[in-house]
Structure formats: structure tokens, C-alpha cells
Amino acid sequence: MNGRRAAAEFPADLAWVNTCEPPCLADSRGRVALIHFWSYDSVHCINQLPMLRQLENKYHDGLSVFGVHVPKYPAQRDGAAVLKAVNRHHVRHPVANDADWALWQALGIDAWPTLLLFDCEGALAGRYVGEGWQAEIDAAIGALLDDAAARDLRQFDPAPVAFRPEPRMPLRFPSHVLATPDRLYVSDSAQNRILECTHDGRILRQFGSGNPGHWDGRLAESGFRHPQSMVRVDDVLYVADTGNHCVRRIRLDSGATDTVLGNGSVGRQRPQVGCRPDAIGISAPSGLAAAGERLYVALAGQHQVWRLDPVRDRVDLLAGSGLAGGGDGPAFDASFAQPSALALLPGRLLVADAAGNAIRQVRLADGMVGTVAGGGAYRWGCSDGRGEAARLAHPLGIASDAQGNVYVADTLNDRVCLLDVATGMLATLQLDYRFREPHGLSAAAGALWVADRNAHSVVRVDIASGACRRIGIGE
């Protein structure tokens, strides 16, 4: 042995969600093993998945990757929900759900994400907390494999793939729907495309090839990666291309796509005078709203809200210190926790602050930030109420209609709520429909449209009667 502490084995009762053959670390002897502890609600964990995929591809003959999902919310204790997240993000290595935090506590883990690296003899070789360690982990894996080869310990067999696929359906984990008087635009997120449809679900056009990537082009010749929120301004559709860490612009007359914010790589830069918006590295833009030519962008991975003028190529910070939190106050002192969706009302911008389990607002006149309902990174729940007495669980969607009604997708409570912004009163909509992690919302044409992501569907809710109808997109 090399003096490092040997790794313990996976507990026998650990529940693996995407494989019928529970793996064991002993079978990885001769290979480097990487265990990542994550929770599927965390943008920082999600940002890390592409890095893991790149390492798996590069070291396919020497690296075994294992995921251990440790839930933050009660709904995530269900292995079926974790499997949905695994499939939504195209994870192909074994993932366990550590529902009772047993392995987390045994190994002394205290933050999401955390990665543990083990050498070819099963000894702990590195511990990495948070994002941004790709270069260091890559170099460490290479060095460990070279050392194992020099000592004739290395095995070159590929790691087995773990895969329990979803049923084949036209949509795959849609995260957002945008309704206009005569059109539906659907972010078919796990298929990396935007669909333009009629209200009855007939597909008219597709933007994005379906293959993940970041390139401009017309219609299906362009490339998106896990697109989410959308907003339409005249004949332009703006898309939060979350997996590419940028905002895209689709010109609906020609179908041409280009990029207006973000350089296509994850980063945490801030707007600088004279810097082109499409040259800035940003993290996980997830929510969009528009007022005239001005766009508002919720950057979930930077815990901020930005303001973008795509016509004049200008961008500035509207609110958020950049530190995760739930503090109200002046624009640049206030803090958000993974802001994920936006809605405009006269004089204010509403923010679905997902990791803060709250609905926040930014006063547009002076940038003052306040909490409307819910609040607290560890103060989740499922209850109606006024202001801070209301309880939410990771709200990912918000929308307002022409009458000023505000609707909230309380995602990990599988419900949609009505919010009275004036009083802060939050109330569950009593609907005869079971949602499965509702995400994006849009209110138009007398209806509330819901992207029901884990059911791979779009649902139309008649605002007057409350009647719900699944829309057969592409069926």
C-alpha cells in the first residue's frame, strides 16, 4: 500500500437507482475510482455533471465513477425521483440514493458537491469540495493511472454502464412552456431543442438539432444544451440555454439562432464596461423576462439577476451580491439562492428563488430586494400562508397573467399555487390533476400552461374553471 487511508466499501443496503447489480469498490481495484456526492436540486452539482462525463470519456479504460445522491428535500428520498433526475441529465454511471444520509455521515461529507478520489489500490487520494476542480482532478487521475501502470497494478477493462431508461415519448423532461395567443413554445430540455407548436400540440418547427452542443444556425441546424426559460419579444424568441451557460436569440422570421449573452462556458464573471455580453463567462442562466427591448436574466449559478440590452450589446447587474443567501435590502447587498424564474409586474420583478424556497421581488426603480412569500434555504415545507409563514420546496416556475394574477410552480411539492403579491398570501390551486415536478409556467389565452417535467408533458389549466388537460405535443 502507499500509506493512504483505505476506502470503506459501499453499505450493503445502499439503494442503487439505475442498476440492478449493486457495484462494490473492490471491483474497481486496478482502476481509479471517483465518488461524487450530489443533490439534483443543486445548480452546482448539475454544473459538475458535464465535467464528470468528460473525465469518463477521457479515462474510459481506467476510471470508475459512482454517484451518491444525498437528498436535501423530503421528496428526494424517493429513489424514483432520483432516477428521473439521473435520466434527465443523461448520467450513465451507477447512482445510489443515500436517503438517510448514512454514507454521507460515515465519510464525513458536509457539502454538495463533494468528490472523493481513490487510487487503484482503493486508498483515498483526494477530496474536492464545490465546483471548479476539473483541471486538478484530471491531472490527479492521470498521475494515479500512470503510477498504477508503472507498478503493474492497472486494469484496462471499461467500466460498466448503468442505465434504466425512460419510456419513449415525444417530449423528454420539458422544463418550460411559453404561450402566446396562437403558439406554444416548449423547451424539450433533455432533447436539447425548442419546439414551436399550435395550442393543440401540433409541432410546426424545431429549433436545435437534438444533439447537445453550442453552435448557431437555422432551425434544426443549431445546437442547444438543456434549454429552459423563454420569452418572446416581437418576432424574436430568447432562450435561456442553461446547459451552454448562455442566452440565445431565435429570429422567428428566418429561424436563425445566435448568442446574446455568455460565451458558452461556465464562469462567474461580472459585467464590465465595454465588454461584449457574448464574451462573458456566466453560470446557468435559467429565467428570463422582458420589458420592451430589455431582458432580465436570472443566473442560477451566480445567485444574481442581470439586465441585458441585446440591441445595444449592453449588460449590467440588477441585483444580487453573488453569495448564496436570502438577505433582503439594497440591490447589490441583497442575496439570492439559485434564482430560477422571473415574472414582471408593474414596477417590480418577481423571482422564484429556488434554493431559498421563496418568492422574492426586485423593485425596478431602485433595485431594492424583498421577500414576498416563503423563505430560507432550510425552511422548506408544503403549506399555504401569508409571507414568511408560507412554505415552498424549490419553486422553479413563476408567471403572471394580464389581470395581475401570479402563479408559482412549487416543484418539489408537485403543486401549483396562486400568489397575491399585495398581501403575500400563497394558496394551493385546487386542481383535479397530479403534477410530477412542475417546472416552467406561462399564462396566456385564458389558460395557465404547465411544463410537467417528470411526466414528459405540457398541461393546460383553464383559469376560469380549473379544468386540466394534457396537451399531446407531437402525438
Side-chain angles (χ1 to χ4, degrees):
M1 293 290 288
N2 51 23
R4 300 189 183 110
R5 179 167 60 89
E9 190 52 80
F10 290 124
D13 59 351
L14 194 60
W16 296 88
V17 303
N18 61 342
T19 177
C20 296
E21 297 293 333
C24 59
L25 285 173
D27 291 340
S28 296
R29 299 296 186 264
R31 302 171 59 82
V32 170
L34 185 62
I35 304 176
H36 69 105
F37 289 81
W38 67 300
S39 183
Y40 74 72
D41 62 282
S42 167
V43 65
H44 304 297
C45 294
I46 294 169
N47 281 350
Q48 190 172 253
L49 295 177
M51 175 199 76
L52 295 173
R53 193 171 298 116
Q54 292 174 15
L55 292 174
E56 287 177 285
N57 291 336
K58 181 175 181 179
Y59 297 107
H60 62 91
D61 59 350
L63 175 67
S64 296
V65 177
F66 305 95
V68 178
H69 181 273
V70 185
K72 174 181 175 181
Y73 296 93
Q76 296 173 314
R77 289 172 53 85
D78 182 2
V82 178
L83 177 60
K84 290 285 187 182
V86 165
N87 287 337
R88 185 162 64 245
H89 294 291
H90 308 285
V91 175
R92 295 294 180 265
H93 54 255
V95 174
N97 193 30
D98 189 17
D100 296 318
W101 294 42
L103 188 58
W104 169 285
Q105 293 174 350
L107 295 178
I109 309 299
D110 57 11
W112 295 283
T114 293
L115 299 98
L116 301 181
L117 184 66
F118 298 90
D119 67 16
C120 292
E121 295 175 277
L124 182 65
R127 182 186 182 104
Y128 308 87
V129 180
E131 290 187 68
W133 295 101
Q134 181 165 356
E136 291 83 353
I137 295 173
D138 191 337
I141 293 171
L144 290 172
L145 290 175
D146 287 346
D147 175 70
R151 295 190 291 134
D152 199 26
L153 297 175
R154 182 173 173 181
Q155 301 294 325
F156 291 87
D157 296 332
V161 173
F163 188 38
R164 288 180 58 192
E166 296 290 311
R168 294 186 63 85
M169 299 178 69
L171 296 180
R172 188 174 177 86
F173 298 107
S175 65
H176 194 70
V177 57
L178 172 66
T180 70
D182 63 348
R183 290 286 186 271
L184 286 181
Y185 297 93
V186 181
S187 289
D188 191 15
S189 300
Q191 297 190 104
N192 308 296
R193 61 180 186 167
I194 304 295
L195 301 177
E196 183 182 51
C197 309
T198 63
H199 281 187
D200 61 4
R202 181 166 59 91
I203 297 175
L204 304 174
R205 291 190 291 180
Q206 174 178 319
F207 308 101
S209 68
N211 295 317
H214 179 216
W215 63 88
D216 296 335
R218 289 186 67 254
L219 301 172
E221 296 172 354
S222 57
F224 291 85
R225 190 187 302 272
H226 208 80
Q228 295 191 22
S229 181
M230 300 166 289
V231 65
R232 182 170 172 174
V233 180
D234 297 326
D235 287 329
V236 173
L237 183 70
Y238 292 98
V239 181
D241 193 9
T242 308
N244 280 323
H245 305 285
C246 61
V247 176
R248 314 293 290 282
R249 173 173 54 194
I250 301 173
R251 301 184 187 275
L252 295 173
D253 54 353
S254 65
T257 298
D258 65 348
T259 301
V260 296
L261 175 64
N263 61 18
S265 298
V266 62
R268 292 183 61 87
Q269 294 178 266
R270 293 202 175 204
Q272 301 291 330
V273 175
C275 182
R276 287 177 54 89
D278 61 359
I280 299 173
I282 61 177
S283 179
S286 300
L288 297 177
E293 295 179 344
R294 179 171 291 171
L295 288 184
Y296 298 96
V297 185
L299 296 179
Q302 291 176 246
H303 313 294
Q304 294 176 325
V305 179
W306 288 14
R307 183 168 41 198
L308 171 69
D309 185 337
V311 176
R312 296 173 180 81
D313 272 344
R314 298 174 184 169
V315 65
D316 65 336
L317 172 62
L318 176 66
S321 65
L323 300 176
D328 295 335
F332 306 139
D333 298 328
S335 55
F336 295 95
Q338 204 169 315
S340 297
L342 303 173
L344 271 169
L345 290 179
R348 68 182 85 182
L349 182 69
L350 299 179
V351 183
D353 205 22
N357 305 299
I359 303 303
R360 316 285 294 286
Q361 67 175 2
V362 182
R363 203 161 60 197
L364 295 177
D366 58 8
M368 186 67 66
V369 176
T371 299
V372 180
Y378 290 92
R379 294 172 62 194
W380 59 79
C382 183
S383 61
D384 297 344
R386 190 185 307 276
E388 292 187 1
R391 287 291 178 265
L392 298 156
H394 204 69
L396 288 176
I398 191 167
S400 61
D401 64 17
Q403 289 71 45
N405 297 311
V406 175
Y407 304 93
V408 176
D410 190 13
T411 303
L412 293 187
N413 282 324
D414 293 333
R415 66 173 179 162
V416 177
C417 302
L418 181 65
L419 175 65
D420 185 330
V421 175
T423 65
M425 187 67 195
L426 183 84
T428 305
L429 284 181
Q430 300 303 315
L431 304 172
D432 187 18
Y433 196 91
R434 181 187 177 189
F435 292 104
R436 299 172 68 188
E437 294 198 3
H439 193 151
L441 304 178
S442 182
L448 178 67
W449 308 81
V450 183
D452 198 17
R453 72 176 185 189
N454 276 5
H456 310 293
S457 65
V458 170
V459 178
R460 181 189 186 277
V461 181
D462 185 271
I463 291 176
S465 68
C468 299
R469 177 168 61 91
R470 178 181 173 276
I471 304 299
I473 304 292
E475 296 178 0

